[in-house]
Protein backbone atom coordinates (compact mmCIF):
# COMPACT_ATOMS: atom_id res chain seq x y z
CA UNK A 1 0.00 0.00 0.00
CA UNK A 2 1.21 3.54 -0.78
CA UNK A 3 2.50 5.25 2.35
CA UNK A 4 0.11 7.97 3.39
CA UNK A 5 2.62 10.12 5.07
CA UNK A 6 4.68 12.65 3.29
CA UNK A 7 8.25 12.26 4.40
CA UNK A 8 9.82 14.62 1.82
CA UNK A 9 8.27 17.79 3.22
CA UNK A 10 9.27 19.34 6.51
CA UNK A 11 7.72 22.39 8.07
CA UNK A 12 9.23 24.84 10.52
CA UNK A 13 7.74 24.45 13.99
CA UNK A 14 7.63 26.76 17.00
CA UNK A 15 8.01 26.06 20.71
CA UNK A 16 4.90 27.99 21.68
CA UNK A 17 2.50 30.73 20.49
CA UNK A 18 4.66 33.49 21.99
CA UNK A 19 7.72 32.37 20.01
CA UNK A 20 5.59 32.31 16.86
CA UNK A 21 4.13 35.79 17.41
CA UNK A 22 7.53 37.27 18.28
CA UNK A 23 9.20 35.70 15.23
CA UNK A 24 6.87 37.61 12.94
CA UNK A 25 6.80 40.87 14.94
CA UNK A 26 3.10 40.68 15.71
CA UNK A 27 2.07 44.06 17.11
CA UNK A 28 1.56 44.66 20.82
CA UNK A 29 -2.11 45.52 20.07
CA UNK A 30 -2.80 42.11 18.49
CA UNK A 31 -0.88 40.30 21.25
CA UNK A 32 -2.89 42.14 23.91
CA UNK A 33 -6.13 41.23 22.15
CA UNK A 34 -5.10 37.56 22.05
CA UNK A 35 -4.13 37.54 25.73
CA UNK A 36 -7.60 38.66 26.83
CA UNK A 37 -10.26 36.43 28.27
CA UNK A 38 -12.93 37.29 25.70
CA UNK A 39 -16.56 37.88 26.56
CA UNK A 40 -19.99 37.76 24.96
CA UNK A 41 -21.42 40.85 23.25
CA UNK A 42 -25.10 41.33 24.18
CA UNK A 43 -26.99 44.60 23.78
CA UNK A 44 -23.68 46.42 23.20
CA UNK A 45 -22.35 45.23 26.57
CA UNK A 46 -19.45 42.82 27.09
CA UNK A 47 -20.12 40.12 29.66
CA UNK A 48 -18.77 36.68 30.59
CA UNK A 49 -20.85 33.54 30.05
CA UNK A 50 -23.52 33.35 32.77
CA UNK A 51 -21.93 30.21 34.20
CA UNK A 52 -18.36 31.52 33.72
CA UNK A 53 -17.62 28.83 31.12
CA UNK A 54 -14.82 29.25 28.59
CA UNK A 55 -13.48 27.63 25.41
CA UNK A 56 -9.75 27.61 24.58
CA UNK A 57 -8.59 29.01 21.22
CA UNK A 58 -5.97 26.69 19.74
CA UNK A 59 -3.58 28.26 17.27
CA UNK A 60 -3.11 26.09 14.14
CA UNK A 61 0.56 27.10 13.75
CA UNK A 62 1.61 25.70 17.12
CA UNK A 63 -1.28 23.50 18.22
CA UNK A 64 -1.31 25.38 21.53
CA UNK A 65 -3.74 27.71 23.27
CA UNK A 66 -3.39 31.31 22.18
CA UNK A 67 -6.58 32.89 23.55
CA UNK A 68 -9.81 32.17 25.48
CA UNK A 69 -13.46 32.60 24.51
CA UNK A 70 -16.60 32.70 26.62
CA UNK A 71 -18.79 29.61 26.25
CA UNK A 72 -22.33 31.03 25.96
CA UNK A 73 -25.17 29.27 27.75
CA UNK A 74 -28.78 28.89 26.71
CA UNK A 75 -29.56 31.61 29.30
CA UNK A 76 -27.17 33.97 27.50
CA UNK A 77 -28.97 33.16 24.28
CA UNK A 78 -32.30 34.19 25.83
CA UNK A 79 -30.80 37.53 26.77
CA UNK A 80 -29.33 38.06 23.29
CA UNK A 81 -32.57 37.17 21.48
CA UNK A 82 -34.47 39.52 23.74
CA UNK A 83 -31.96 42.36 23.06
CA UNK A 84 -32.28 41.75 19.30
CA UNK A 85 -36.09 41.67 19.52
CA UNK A 86 -36.26 44.98 21.41
CA UNK A 87 -33.87 46.63 18.96
CA UNK A 88 -35.98 45.42 16.05
CA UNK A 89 -39.42 46.27 17.40
CA UNK A 90 -38.95 49.46 19.30
CA UNK A 91 -35.34 50.39 19.80
CA UNK A 92 -33.13 52.93 18.13
CA UNK A 93 -32.56 50.69 15.09
CA UNK A 94 -36.26 50.38 14.26
CA UNK A 95 -36.53 54.15 13.89
CA UNK A 96 -33.40 54.74 11.79
CA UNK A 97 -33.91 56.04 8.28
CA UNK A 98 -32.45 53.98 5.43
CA UNK A 99 -29.90 56.74 4.86
CA UNK A 100 -28.79 56.54 8.49
CA UNK A 101 -28.40 52.75 8.14
CA UNK A 102 -26.39 53.21 4.96
CA UNK A 103 -24.06 55.70 6.67
CA UNK A 104 -23.57 53.37 9.64
CA UNK A 105 -22.71 50.37 7.47
CA UNK A 106 -20.21 52.51 5.55
CA UNK A 107 -18.74 53.71 8.86
CA UNK A 108 -18.33 50.07 9.87
CA UNK A 109 -16.55 49.36 6.55
CA UNK A 110 -14.32 52.43 7.14
CA UNK A 111 -13.32 51.08 10.56
CA UNK A 112 -12.56 47.63 9.13
CA UNK A 113 -10.41 49.36 6.52
CA UNK A 114 -8.60 51.38 9.21
CA UNK A 115 -7.85 48.16 11.12
CA UNK A 116 -7.12 46.11 8.01
CA UNK A 117 -3.70 44.79 8.99
CA UNK A 118 -4.70 43.94 12.55
CA UNK A 119 -7.78 42.00 11.37
CA UNK A 120 -5.83 40.16 8.65
CA UNK A 121 -3.14 39.21 11.19
CA UNK A 122 -5.75 37.91 13.64
CA UNK A 123 -7.50 35.93 10.90
CA UNK A 124 -4.20 34.41 9.76
CA UNK A 125 -3.28 33.41 13.33
CA UNK A 126 -6.74 32.03 14.14
CA UNK A 127 -7.44 30.07 10.92
CA UNK A 128 -3.79 29.30 10.10
CA UNK A 129 -4.11 30.73 6.60
CA UNK A 130 -1.39 32.70 4.77
CA UNK A 131 -1.52 36.40 5.63
CA UNK A 132 -1.97 37.28 1.93
CA UNK A 133 -5.13 35.14 1.84
CA UNK A 134 -6.39 36.67 5.10
CA UNK A 135 -5.91 40.09 3.48
CA UNK A 136 -8.13 38.99 0.59
CA UNK A 137 -10.78 37.95 3.13
CA UNK A 138 -10.70 41.33 4.87
CA UNK A 139 -10.94 43.15 1.54
CA UNK A 140 -13.90 40.93 0.61
CA UNK A 141 -15.48 41.80 3.97
CA UNK A 142 -15.13 45.54 3.34
CA UNK A 143 -16.48 45.23 -0.21
CA UNK A 144 -19.49 43.25 1.01
CA UNK A 145 -20.49 45.83 3.63
CA UNK A 146 -20.06 48.66 1.13
CA UNK A 147 -22.12 46.85 -1.51
CA UNK A 148 -25.02 46.26 0.88
CA UNK A 149 -24.77 49.76 2.40
CA UNK A 150 -25.83 51.00 -1.04
CA UNK A 151 -28.93 48.79 -0.97
CA UNK A 152 -30.27 50.30 2.29
CA UNK A 153 -31.93 53.17 0.41
CA UNK A 154 -33.16 51.07 -2.51
CA UNK A 155 -35.48 48.53 -0.90
CA UNK A 156 -38.81 49.07 -2.62
CA UNK A 157 -41.94 47.12 -3.44
CA UNK A 158 -43.84 47.49 -6.70
CA UNK A 159 -47.25 48.65 -7.82
CA UNK A 160 -49.43 46.07 -9.56
CA UNK A 161 -52.56 45.79 -11.68
CA UNK A 162 -55.01 42.90 -11.17
CA UNK A 163 -54.91 40.47 -14.07
CA UNK A 164 -58.49 39.21 -13.92
CA UNK A 165 -60.09 40.60 -10.77
CA UNK A 166 -62.85 42.96 -11.72
CA UNK A 167 -63.21 46.21 -9.83
CA UNK A 168 -61.26 49.30 -9.02
CA UNK A 169 -58.12 48.67 -6.99
CA UNK A 170 -54.80 50.10 -6.03
CA UNK A 171 -52.42 47.22 -5.33
CA UNK A 172 -48.82 47.36 -4.27
CA UNK A 173 -46.18 45.39 -2.40
CA UNK A 174 -43.98 46.36 0.51
CA UNK A 175 -40.62 44.82 1.34
CA UNK A 176 -40.33 44.56 5.11
CA UNK A 177 -37.35 43.34 7.14
CA UNK A 178 -37.88 39.72 8.18
CA UNK A 179 -37.04 40.53 11.82
CA UNK A 180 -34.49 38.95 14.16
CA UNK A 181 -32.00 36.74 12.30
CA UNK A 182 -29.94 33.96 13.89
CA UNK A 183 -26.59 33.81 12.11
CA UNK A 184 -24.40 30.68 12.28
CA UNK A 185 -20.97 30.83 10.63
CA UNK A 186 -18.28 28.19 9.82
CA UNK A 187 -14.55 28.48 10.51
CA UNK A 188 -12.95 28.75 7.08
CA UNK A 189 -13.65 32.43 6.19
CA UNK A 190 -15.13 33.64 9.48
CA UNK A 191 -15.16 37.43 9.11
CA UNK A 192 -16.02 37.40 5.42
CA UNK A 193 -18.84 34.88 5.82
CA UNK A 194 -20.22 37.01 8.65
CA UNK A 195 -20.27 39.97 6.24
CA UNK A 196 -22.19 37.84 3.71
CA UNK A 197 -24.88 37.42 6.37
CA UNK A 198 -24.84 40.80 8.14
CA UNK A 199 -24.45 43.10 5.12
CA UNK A 200 -27.92 42.39 3.71
CA UNK A 201 -29.53 41.96 7.15
CA UNK A 202 -28.37 45.38 8.38
CA UNK A 203 -29.18 47.10 5.09
CA UNK A 204 -32.87 46.16 5.28
CA UNK A 205 -33.19 46.85 9.03
CA UNK A 206 -33.01 43.40 10.64
CA UNK A 207 -31.28 42.67 13.94
CA UNK A 208 -29.07 39.67 14.61
CA UNK A 209 -27.79 37.08 17.06
CA UNK A 210 -24.51 35.68 15.78
CA UNK A 211 -22.94 32.30 16.66
CA UNK A 212 -19.39 32.41 15.30
CA UNK A 213 -17.43 29.16 14.79
CA UNK A 214 -15.94 27.97 18.08
CA UNK A 215 -12.48 27.44 16.58
CA UNK A 216 -12.18 30.82 14.83
CA UNK A 217 -14.16 33.56 16.61
CA UNK A 218 -11.44 36.16 17.16
CA UNK A 219 -12.04 38.54 14.25
CA UNK A 220 -15.79 38.46 14.95
CA UNK A 221 -15.09 39.72 18.47
CA UNK A 222 -12.81 42.47 17.20
CA UNK A 223 -15.53 43.32 14.66
CA UNK A 224 -18.03 43.74 17.53
CA UNK A 225 -15.74 46.38 19.04
CA UNK A 226 -15.71 48.18 15.70
CA UNK A 227 -19.52 47.95 15.44
CA UNK A 228 -19.74 49.66 18.83
CA UNK A 229 -17.34 52.36 17.64
CA UNK A 230 -19.36 52.79 14.43
CA UNK A 231 -22.44 53.62 16.52
CA UNK A 232 -24.54 50.56 15.63
CA UNK A 233 -27.31 50.72 18.26
CA UNK A 234 -27.61 48.24 21.12
CA UNK A 235 -29.14 44.86 20.27
CA UNK A 236 -28.57 45.04 16.49
CA UNK A 237 -25.53 42.75 16.53
CA UNK A 238 -25.20 40.29 19.43
CA UNK A 239 -22.30 37.85 19.48
CA UNK A 240 -22.42 34.55 21.36
CA UNK A 241 -19.22 32.56 21.18
CA UNK A 242 -19.35 28.95 22.27
CA UNK A 243 -20.30 25.47 21.22
CA UNK A 244 -22.38 24.71 18.16
CA UNK A 245 -23.93 21.69 19.83
CA UNK A 246 -25.37 23.83 22.64
CA UNK A 247 -25.79 27.52 21.79
CA UNK A 248 -25.85 26.92 17.99
CA UNK A 249 -28.54 24.25 18.26
CA UNK A 250 -30.54 26.36 20.75
CA UNK A 251 -30.38 29.36 18.40
CA UNK A 252 -31.66 27.35 15.41
CA UNK A 253 -34.64 26.08 17.39
CA UNK A 254 -35.43 29.35 19.21
CA UNK A 255 -39.02 30.53 18.80
CA UNK A 256 -37.94 34.15 19.20
CA UNK A 257 -36.06 34.40 15.92
CA UNK A 258 -37.72 34.97 12.55
CA UNK A 259 -35.01 33.54 10.33
CA UNK A 260 -31.86 31.48 10.62
CA UNK A 261 -29.04 31.87 8.13
CA UNK A 262 -26.52 29.07 8.37
CA UNK A 263 -23.28 28.33 6.55
CA UNK A 264 -21.57 25.06 7.37
CA UNK A 265 -21.64 21.35 6.67
CA UNK A 266 -24.61 19.62 5.07
CA UNK A 267 -24.99 17.36 8.12
CA UNK A 268 -25.29 20.24 10.60
CA UNK A 269 -27.31 22.27 8.10
CA UNK A 270 -29.92 19.53 7.93
CA UNK A 271 -30.32 19.52 11.70
CA UNK A 272 -30.54 23.34 11.71
CA UNK A 273 -33.15 23.13 8.94
CA UNK A 274 -35.27 20.58 10.81
CA UNK A 275 -35.14 22.67 14.01
CA UNK A 276 -36.09 25.85 12.16
CA UNK A 277 -38.98 24.20 10.34
CA UNK A 278 -40.58 23.24 13.66
CA UNK A 279 -41.24 26.95 14.24
CA UNK A 280 -41.66 27.83 10.54
CA UNK A 281 -38.56 29.98 10.96
CA UNK A 282 -37.31 31.18 7.57
CA UNK A 283 -33.94 29.80 6.60
CA UNK A 284 -30.99 30.10 4.28
CA UNK A 285 -28.67 27.10 4.24
CA UNK A 286 -25.25 27.42 2.57
CA UNK A 287 -23.81 23.92 2.83
CA UNK A 288 -21.06 21.62 1.66
CA UNK A 289 -19.82 20.92 -1.83
CA UNK A 290 -17.91 18.51 -4.05
CA UNK A 291 -17.55 20.71 -7.08
CA UNK A 292 -16.66 19.24 -10.47
CA UNK A 293 -13.98 20.70 -12.74
CA UNK A 294 -14.18 19.76 -16.44
CA UNK A 295 -11.00 20.24 -18.47
CA UNK A 296 -11.41 19.89 -22.25
CA UNK A 297 -8.62 19.44 -24.76
CA UNK A 298 -9.35 22.84 -26.36
CA UNK A 299 -8.48 24.77 -23.17
CA UNK A 300 -5.46 26.96 -22.46
CA UNK A 301 -3.69 24.08 -20.72
CA UNK A 302 -1.08 25.95 -18.70
CA UNK A 303 -3.59 28.48 -17.41
CA UNK A 304 -6.02 25.68 -16.53
CA UNK A 305 -3.28 23.90 -14.53
CA UNK A 306 -2.64 27.07 -12.50
CA UNK A 307 -6.32 27.69 -11.88
CA UNK A 308 -7.20 24.10 -10.98
CA UNK A 309 -4.35 24.02 -8.44
CA UNK A 310 -5.49 27.33 -6.96
CA UNK A 311 -9.09 26.10 -6.77
CA UNK A 312 -8.21 23.19 -4.50
CA UNK A 313 -5.06 24.24 -2.60
CA UNK A 314 -6.05 27.83 -1.73
CA UNK A 315 -6.93 28.07 2.01
CA UNK A 316 -5.59 24.48 2.28
CA UNK A 317 -8.66 23.28 0.40
CA UNK A 318 -10.94 24.36 3.25
CA UNK A 319 -13.28 26.04 0.78
CA UNK A 320 -16.93 25.15 0.23
CA UNK A 321 -16.77 25.60 -3.55
CA UNK A 322 -13.28 24.07 -3.91
CA UNK A 323 -12.91 22.44 -7.33
CA UNK A 324 -12.29 19.08 -5.69
CA UNK A 325 -13.46 16.60 -8.41
CA UNK A 326 -11.35 16.84 -11.55
CA UNK A 327 -12.34 15.35 -14.93
CA UNK A 328 -9.79 15.69 -17.75
CA UNK A 329 -10.31 14.76 -21.38
CA UNK A 330 -8.42 11.62 -22.45
CA UNK A 331 -6.27 13.27 -25.11
CA UNK A 332 -4.60 15.68 -22.65
CA UNK A 333 -4.96 13.70 -19.40
CA UNK A 334 -1.32 12.59 -19.06
CA UNK A 335 0.22 15.95 -19.97
CA UNK A 336 -2.26 17.83 -17.76
CA UNK A 337 -1.73 15.59 -14.77
CA UNK A 338 2.08 15.75 -15.05
CA UNK A 339 1.95 19.54 -15.00
CA UNK A 340 -0.61 19.60 -12.19
CA UNK A 341 1.45 17.30 -9.97
CA UNK A 342 4.53 19.49 -10.59
CA UNK A 343 2.47 22.53 -9.63
CA UNK A 344 1.16 20.83 -6.47
CA UNK A 345 4.71 20.02 -5.39
CA UNK A 346 5.70 23.68 -5.74
CA UNK A 347 3.32 24.93 -3.00
CA UNK A 348 5.39 25.97 0.00
CA UNK A 349 3.92 24.84 3.32
CA UNK A 350 4.40 26.94 6.42
CA UNK A 351 2.90 29.08 9.12
CA UNK A 352 0.40 31.72 8.06
CA UNK A 353 2.48 34.74 9.02
CA UNK A 354 5.54 33.67 6.99
CA UNK A 355 5.40 35.72 3.75
CA UNK A 356 6.72 32.74 1.76
CA UNK A 357 3.91 30.42 2.87
CA UNK A 358 1.47 29.34 0.18
CA UNK A 359 -0.44 26.77 2.21
CA UNK A 360 -0.83 26.75 5.98
CA UNK A 361 -1.74 24.05 8.48
CA UNK A 362 -5.31 22.77 8.63
CA UNK A 363 -7.46 24.65 11.11
CA UNK A 364 -7.47 22.00 13.84
CA UNK A 365 -6.30 18.61 14.91
CA UNK A 366 -9.82 17.27 14.29
CA UNK A 367 -9.74 18.53 10.70
CA UNK A 368 -6.28 16.98 10.18
CA UNK A 369 -7.52 13.63 11.44
CA UNK A 370 -10.61 13.81 9.24
CA UNK A 371 -8.62 14.67 6.07
CA UNK A 372 -5.97 12.03 6.87
CA UNK A 373 -8.69 9.40 7.30
CA UNK A 374 -10.18 10.31 3.91
CA UNK A 375 -6.76 10.03 2.22
CA UNK A 376 -6.38 6.60 3.80
CA UNK A 377 -9.81 5.61 2.46
CA UNK A 378 -8.83 6.77 -1.03
CA UNK A 379 -5.72 4.56 -0.99
CA UNK A 380 -7.70 1.59 0.37
CA UNK A 381 -10.34 1.99 -2.34
CA UNK A 382 -7.71 1.80 -5.07
CA UNK A 383 -7.09 5.42 -6.09
CA UNK A 384 -3.45 6.29 -6.83
CA UNK A 385 -1.93 8.96 -4.60
CA UNK A 386 0.16 10.89 -7.16
CA UNK A 387 1.54 13.42 -4.68
CA UNK A 388 1.07 14.89 -1.24
CA UNK A 389 -0.30 13.23 1.88
CA UNK A 390 -0.37 14.28 5.49
CA UNK A 391 2.85 15.30 7.22
CA UNK A 392 3.34 13.17 10.27
CA UNK A 393 5.62 15.15 12.57
CA UNK A 394 3.39 14.68 15.59
CA UNK A 395 3.26 18.44 16.14
CA UNK A 396 1.56 20.21 13.29
CA UNK A 397 -1.56 19.68 11.18
CA UNK A 398 -0.16 20.02 7.69
CA UNK A 399 -1.38 18.12 4.66
CA UNK A 400 0.73 18.65 1.54
CA UNK A 401 -1.19 19.34 -1.71
CA UNK A 402 -2.50 15.88 -2.58
CA UNK A 403 -3.78 14.48 -5.88
CA UNK A 404 -5.43 11.12 -6.47
CA UNK A 405 -5.46 9.68 -10.00
CA UNK A 406 -7.39 6.67 -11.39
CA UNK A 407 -10.54 7.58 -9.45
CA UNK A 408 -14.09 6.52 -10.21
CA UNK A 409 -17.34 8.15 -9.17
CA UNK A 410 -18.05 5.18 -6.88
CA UNK A 411 -15.17 6.00 -4.54
CA UNK A 412 -15.82 7.65 -1.19
CA UNK A 413 -13.17 10.30 -1.90
CA UNK A 414 -15.09 11.30 -5.03
CA UNK A 415 -18.52 11.28 -3.42
CA UNK A 416 -17.79 12.94 -0.07
CA UNK A 417 -16.49 16.38 0.79
CA UNK A 418 -12.93 16.14 2.18
CA UNK A 419 -12.46 19.84 3.02
CA UNK A 420 -8.68 19.72 2.73
CA UNK A 421 -6.08 20.10 -0.04
CA UNK A 422 -7.03 16.85 -1.76
CA UNK A 423 -8.01 16.59 -5.43
CA UNK A 424 -9.51 13.46 -7.02
CA UNK A 425 -9.01 13.04 -10.77
CA UNK A 426 -10.27 10.83 -13.58
CA UNK A 427 -10.57 10.79 -17.38
CA UNK A 428 -13.47 11.30 -19.73
CA UNK A 429 -13.75 11.14 -23.49
CA UNK A 430 -16.87 13.04 -24.60
CA UNK A 431 -18.73 16.15 -23.48
CA UNK A 432 -21.81 14.04 -22.66
CA UNK A 433 -19.75 11.76 -20.45
CA UNK A 434 -18.16 14.74 -18.69
CA UNK A 435 -21.58 16.25 -17.98
CA UNK A 436 -22.96 12.97 -16.64
CA UNK A 437 -19.94 12.50 -14.34
CA UNK A 438 -20.14 16.09 -13.07
CA UNK A 439 -23.84 15.88 -12.25
CA UNK A 440 -23.48 12.49 -10.58
CA UNK A 441 -23.16 13.97 -7.06
CA UNK A 442 -25.38 14.74 -4.09
CA UNK A 443 -23.84 18.20 -4.01
CA UNK A 444 -24.35 21.12 -6.38
CA UNK A 445 -22.50 24.15 -5.11
CA UNK A 446 -20.27 24.98 -8.09
CA UNK A 447 -18.76 23.59 -11.29
CA UNK A 448 -15.95 24.79 -13.54
CA UNK A 449 -15.40 24.41 -17.28
CA UNK A 450 -12.04 24.87 -19.04
CA UNK A 451 -12.62 25.20 -22.78
CA UNK A 452 -12.30 27.78 -25.55
CA UNK A 453 -15.47 26.59 -27.28
CA UNK A 454 -18.31 29.06 -26.90
CA UNK A 455 -20.92 26.47 -27.82
CA UNK A 456 -19.61 23.95 -25.32
CA UNK A 457 -19.44 26.53 -22.53
CA UNK A 458 -23.04 27.64 -23.07
CA UNK A 459 -24.36 24.09 -23.45
CA UNK A 460 -22.68 22.94 -20.25
CA UNK A 461 -23.46 26.08 -18.22
CA UNK A 462 -27.13 25.38 -18.88
CA UNK A 463 -26.97 21.67 -17.99
CA UNK A 464 -24.65 21.59 -14.98
CA UNK A 465 -26.61 21.27 -11.73
CA UNK A 466 -24.70 23.80 -9.65
CA UNK A 467 -25.37 27.19 -8.07
CA UNK A 468 -22.29 28.76 -9.67
CA UNK A 469 -20.57 27.85 -12.94
CA UNK A 470 -17.07 29.23 -13.42
CA UNK A 471 -15.54 29.27 -16.90
CA UNK A 472 -11.76 29.28 -17.40
CA UNK A 473 -11.14 30.34 -13.79
CA UNK A 474 -11.90 29.09 -10.29
CA UNK A 475 -14.09 30.58 -7.59
CA UNK A 476 -14.89 34.02 -8.96
CA UNK A 477 -16.83 35.61 -6.12
CA UNK A 478 -18.11 39.15 -5.71
CA UNK A 479 -20.76 40.73 -3.45
CA UNK A 480 -22.83 41.77 -6.47
CA UNK A 481 -23.45 38.19 -7.64
CA UNK A 482 -25.47 35.58 -5.72
CA UNK A 483 -23.87 32.47 -4.21
CA UNK A 484 -25.57 29.27 -3.09
CA UNK A 485 -26.19 25.65 -3.86
CA UNK A 486 -28.34 23.16 -5.71
CA UNK A 487 -29.19 19.79 -4.17
CA UNK A 488 -27.54 19.02 -0.79
CA UNK A 489 -25.41 22.16 -1.06
CA UNK A 490 -28.34 24.02 0.43
CA UNK A 491 -30.95 26.53 -0.54
CA UNK A 492 -31.40 30.27 -0.54
CA UNK A 493 -28.75 32.66 -1.77
CA UNK A 494 -26.25 34.94 -0.12
CA UNK A 495 -24.93 38.05 -1.90
CA UNK A 496 -26.30 39.98 -4.85
CA UNK A 497 -29.69 41.64 -5.09
CA UNK A 498 -31.16 38.12 -4.73
CA UNK A 499 -30.15 37.98 -1.06
CA UNK A 500 -32.50 40.86 -0.26
CA UNK A 501 -35.45 38.54 -0.88
CA UNK A 502 -34.14 36.24 1.85
CA UNK A 503 -33.98 38.97 4.53
CA UNK A 504 -37.35 40.54 3.77
CA UNK A 505 -41.00 39.55 3.77
CA UNK A 506 -43.18 40.69 0.86
CA UNK A 507 -46.51 42.17 1.90
CA UNK A 508 -49.26 42.80 -0.64
CA UNK A 509 -51.60 45.71 0.01
CA UNK A 510 -55.01 45.90 -1.74
CA UNK A 511 -57.02 49.12 -1.61
CA UNK A 512 -60.52 48.83 -3.02
CA UNK A 513 -61.78 52.05 -4.50
CA UNK A 514 -65.48 52.91 -4.84
P1 LIG B 1 -20.11 22.83 10.84
O1 LIG B 1 -21.40 22.47 10.21
O2 LIG B 1 -19.45 21.86 11.71
O3 LIG B 1 -20.28 24.15 11.72
C1 LIG B 1 -20.80 25.35 11.20
C2 LIG B 1 -21.32 26.20 12.34
O4 LIG B 1 -22.41 25.51 12.94
C3 LIG B 1 -20.31 26.46 13.46
O5 LIG B 1 -20.50 27.76 13.97
C4 LIG B 1 -20.71 25.44 14.52
O6 LIG B 1 -20.37 25.84 15.81
C5 LIG B 1 -22.22 25.42 14.35
N1 LIG B 1 -22.87 24.18 14.82
C6 LIG B 1 -22.32 22.98 15.06
N2 LIG B 1 -23.27 22.10 15.47
C7 LIG B 1 -24.44 22.78 15.45
C8 LIG B 1 -25.79 22.41 15.73
N3 LIG B 1 -26.13 21.19 16.11
N4 LIG B 1 -26.75 23.35 15.57
C9 LIG B 1 -26.44 24.60 15.17
N5 LIG B 1 -25.18 25.00 14.90
C10 LIG B 1 -24.20 24.10 15.03
O7 LIG B 1 -19.18 23.30 9.64
P2 LIG B 1 -17.65 23.73 9.72
O8 LIG B 1 -16.83 22.50 9.95
O9 LIG B 1 -17.50 24.91 10.63
O10 LIG B 1 -17.41 24.27 8.23
C11 LIG B 1 -17.09 23.46 7.17
C12 LIG B 1 -18.33 23.16 6.35
O11 LIG B 1 -18.97 24.37 5.96
C13 LIG B 1 -18.01 22.45 5.06
O12 LIG B 1 -18.94 21.43 4.84
C14 LIG B 1 -18.15 23.53 4.00
O13 LIG B 1 -18.44 23.08 2.71
C15 LIG B 1 -19.26 24.35 4.57
N6 LIG B 1 -19.24 25.71 4.01
C16 LIG B 1 -20.22 26.07 3.12
C17 LIG B 1 -20.18 27.33 2.54
C18 LIG B 1 -21.23 27.77 1.55
O14 LIG B 1 -21.33 28.96 1.29
N7 LIG B 1 -21.99 26.87 0.97
C19 LIG B 1 -19.15 28.22 2.90
C20 LIG B 1 -18.19 27.82 3.81
C21 LIG B 1 -18.24 26.55 4.38
Amino acid sequence: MTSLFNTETTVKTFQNPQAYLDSYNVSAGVQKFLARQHELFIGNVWKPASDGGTVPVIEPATGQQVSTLANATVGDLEEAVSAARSAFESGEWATQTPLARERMIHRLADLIEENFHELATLESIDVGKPLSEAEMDIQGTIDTYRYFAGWATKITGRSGEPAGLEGNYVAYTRKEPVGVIGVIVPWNFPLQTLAWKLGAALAVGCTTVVKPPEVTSLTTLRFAELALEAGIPAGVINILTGKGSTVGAALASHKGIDKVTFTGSTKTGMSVGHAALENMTRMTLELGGKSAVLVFDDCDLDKAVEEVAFGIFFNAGQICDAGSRLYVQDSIYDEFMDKLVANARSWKLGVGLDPETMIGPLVSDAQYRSVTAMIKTGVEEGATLLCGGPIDDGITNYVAPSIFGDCTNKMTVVREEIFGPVLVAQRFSTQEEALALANDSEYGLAATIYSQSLNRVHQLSKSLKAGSVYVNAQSSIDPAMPFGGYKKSGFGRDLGAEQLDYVTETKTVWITLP
Side-chain angles (χ1 to χ4, degrees), residues 25-36:
N25 299 320
V26 170
S27 71
V30 170
Q31 296 215 25
K32 220 167 128 195
F33 184 84
L34 289 169
R36 271 198 229 159

Side-chain angles (χ1 to χ4, degrees), residues 183-189 193 196-197 211-215 242-252 262-269 271-272 275 285-290 318-321 363 367 417 419 443 445 483-485 489-490 494:
V183 177
I184 304 177
V185 176
W187 46 256
N188 53 344
F189 296 91
T193 306
W196 285 27
K197 309 290 190 191
K211 212 309 270 163
E214 52 261 55
V215 289
K243 299 280 183 194
S245 52
T246 51
V247 72
L251 177 58
F262 171 87
T263 297
S265 62
T266 295
K267 187 166 172 253
T268 311
S271 91
V272 166
L285 303 174
E286 297 283 359
L287 308 178
K290 190 75 187 180
Q318 302 164 126
I319 321 165
C320 54
D321 66 339
V363 73
Q367 193 62 15
E417 184 179 44
F419 222 57
Y443 294 105
L445 195 55
F483 185 86
S489 292
D494 279 348

Side-chain angles (χ1 to χ4, degrees), residues 289-308:
K290 190 75 187 180
S291 300
V293 178
L294 307 180
V295 181
F296 289 89
D297 61 7
D298 60 359
C299 72
D300 176 340
L301 194 140
D302 288 332
K303 179 158 189 299
V305 166
E306 291 283 322
E307 287 286 332
V308 169

Side-chain angles (χ1 to χ4, degrees), residues 129-130 133 189 305-319 322-324 326 337 339-349 357-362 387-389 399-404 420-424 474-475:
K129 61 176 71 192
E133 292 183 11
F189 296 91
V305 166
E306 291 283 322
E307 287 286 332
V308 169
F310 173 79
I312 183 67
F313 303 139
F314 175 75
N315 206 34
Q318 302 164 126
I319 321 165
S324 51
L326 176 66
M337 293 306 290
K339 289 190 171 188
L340 189 62
V341 167
N343 181 305
R345 290 202 166 110
S346 73
W347 284 62
K348 187 170 175 345
L349 278 74
T357 293
M358 295 167 73
I359 181 165
L362 299 188
C387 63
V399 174
S402 307
I403 302 176
F404 276 115
V422 184
L423 182 66
V424 296
Q474 290 291 147
S475 297

